[in-house]
Amino acid sequence: MSASVSHVEISGDDAGQRIDNFLLRRLKGVPKVRIYRMLRRGEVRINGGRADPSQRLAAGDSVRIPPVRTALPSTTPAPGQALMAQLDGRILFEDQGLLVIDKPSGLAVHGGSGVRLGLIEALRMGRSDRFLELAHRLDRDTSGCLMVAKSRAALAELHRLLRMQRVRKSYQLLVCGRWPRRLTVVERPLHRFVTAAGERRVRVDAQGKPARTTFNVLRECASASWLSARLHSGRTHQIRVHAASSGHPVLGEDKYETAASEQCSKAAKVNRLCLHAARLGLEWDGAQRRFEAPMPPLFDDAWSRLAGRADL
């Protein structure tokens, strides 16, 4: 049983969910009837007010969760320590204000929505730094360069550089089919929405926010292409949706795949999204900095399987 009331600040990843679905995912092991009883009795509050089960959450909302007994054992520091040991060997750069880390695929950048421990929580558990905050985010299944601020001043500066588009982000990805070499710029507005099941998705929509991605072909074979991509805006799932809407979903995709890309992913034997934040460039502490995260071996392995096949 949790020892005290907890207050959770809703992140952008959790925004748009119904409060009952949020609690069901967060409080694993708590009977559904108990969660709805908490809501009916007013034990769960959003920004100090009673929460209706169908109420949608917004980024920045503060959710009060009462002490509850779960059927699962409480978490211990051990998982965080094990994860921190893994992350410690993936640090690409560190100074007094900035930490750049090669995030592994499959690790959420922060906890919430069924994720007990994310990268930022593991870093806070395993390090003595008084301040650690994400400067930006990567999808859970995307690997590569991620910036973490070690002071409020560093966080403000990184946010300023990101707003001014002075952080150069370069990705590499494997996609289904031959990417047209003439298609170097995809500029399509993107709209975020939440499915009936509470899952976050993005679609091309004229009413969405402007988004621009530059693509270049690095390698190609009969069934797939190896691309580089540069972001000129930072929308959720931007590369994934721009690639899929161009007819070439990223291999390992589970949200925007097609029958053809699913078949290609199976042939490549990929077990994760083939999208990697390979490089970051920015001016930092008076010098031009460039950080590179090594390409995961999966990319070369998948490409070797696909390059020799002509039956896809």
Side-chain angles (χ1 to χ4, degrees):
M1 182 171 180
S2 59
S4 61
V5 168
S6 62
H7 291 84
V8 179
E9 182 175 342
I10 299 302
S11 69
D13 288 345
D14 294 324
Q17 289 189 76
R18 286 170 45 134
I19 181 62
D20 55 351
N21 290 331
F22 172 78
L23 294 171
L24 288 167
R25 288 177 174 80
R26 186 174 183 87
L27 302 177
K28 295 292 187 182
V30 177
K32 181 184 278 190
V33 65
R34 170 68 176 119
I35 289 177
Y36 282 97
R37 187 184 302 127
M38 288 160 43
L39 288 163
R40 287 196 307 271
R41 292 177 175 177
E43 297 175 53
V44 177
R45 293 183 171 265
I46 301 176
N47 301 326
R50 292 176 68 103
D52 182 89
S54 63
Q55 185 172 344
R56 299 274 178 182
L57 296 169
D61 280 349
S62 176
V63 177
R64 175 196 185 276
I65 303 175
V68 288
R69 185 180 300 279
T70 67
L72 301 176
S74 60
T75 57
T76 65
Q81 291 172 357
L83 179 55
M84 185 56 222
Q86 177 192 7
L87 295 177
D88 192 49
R90 303 180 72 98
I91 293 175
L92 304 174
F93 173 83
E94 184 173 8
D95 66 8
Q96 290 185 341
L98 175 63
L99 174 71
V100 182
I101 192 163
D102 178 10
K103 186 190 86 66
S105 174
L107 176 63
V109 293
H110 57 71
S113 244
V115 178
R116 290 185 178 274
L117 192 68
L119 178 142
I120 194 64
E121 289 85 9
L123 288 177
R124 289 167 180 162
M125 289 174 64
R127 298 172 60 95
S128 60
D129 305 88
R130 297 181 63 183
F131 184 96
L132 287 171
E133 290 288 348
L134 296 165
H136 62 121
R137 289 170 170 77
L138 290 177
D139 292 344
R140 179 174 182 168
D141 294 329
T142 302
S143 57
C145 296
L146 181 72
M147 299 186 295
V148 176
K150 297 174 60 179
S151 70
R152 293 192 183 280
L155 182 63
E157 174 63 8
L158 290 170
H159 282 173
R160 184 186 71 85
L161 293 172
L162 287 163
R163 282 195 308 271
M164 298 178 66
Q165 299 186 15
R166 294 176 63 180
V167 178
R168 300 174 299 281
K169 299 179 183 180
S170 178
Y171 292 73
Q172 290 195 31
L173 59 153
L174 302 182
V175 302
C176 173
R178 284 183 178 269
W179 186 275
R181 288 184 174 268
R182 69 180 185 281
L183 184 58
T184 57
V185 177
V186 176
E187 194 161 6
R188 298 177 185 135
L190 301 177
H191 171 68
R192 288 177 53 177
F193 66 100
V194 178
T195 67
E199 189 176 7
R200 182 185 53 162
R201 294 288 181 92
V202 177
R203 62 172 174 253
V204 173
D205 190 310
Q207 303 304 312
K209 295 182 178 180
R212 184 171 184 262
T213 310
T214 300
F215 291 96
N216 285 292
V217 178
L218 301 178
R219 303 186 204 176
E220 60 184 358
C221 65
S223 59
S225 301
W226 189 323
L227 310 177
S228 67
R230 182 181 173 190
L231 290 176
H232 301 275
S233 48
R235 309 302 179 201
T236 301
H237 295 176
Q238 178 173 325
I239 291 175
R240 299 168 66 175
V241 177
H242 274 176
S245 67
S246 301
H248 302 277
V250 181
L251 298 191
E253 181 66 79
D254 64 350
K255 296 182 186 297
Y256 311 106
E257 68 181 356
T258 62
S261 68
E262 183 181 10
Q263 182 183 8
C264 193
S265 295
K266 287 180 179 178
K269 296 183 180 180
V270 298
N271 57 5
R272 53 153 288 190
L273 184 72
C274 292
L275 178 60
H276 181 66
R279 297 183 188 86
L280 271 177
L282 74 162
E283 183 176 346
W284 185 255
D285 197 23
Q288 289 293 330
R289 305 280 188 177
R290 177 172 166 171
F291 312 114
E292 295 193 21
M295 291 300 300
L298 171 76
F299 277 62
D300 278 323
D301 293 342
W303 189 258
S304 295
R305 295 186 184 100
L306 293 173
R309 295 190 59 156
D311 57 333
L312 288 174

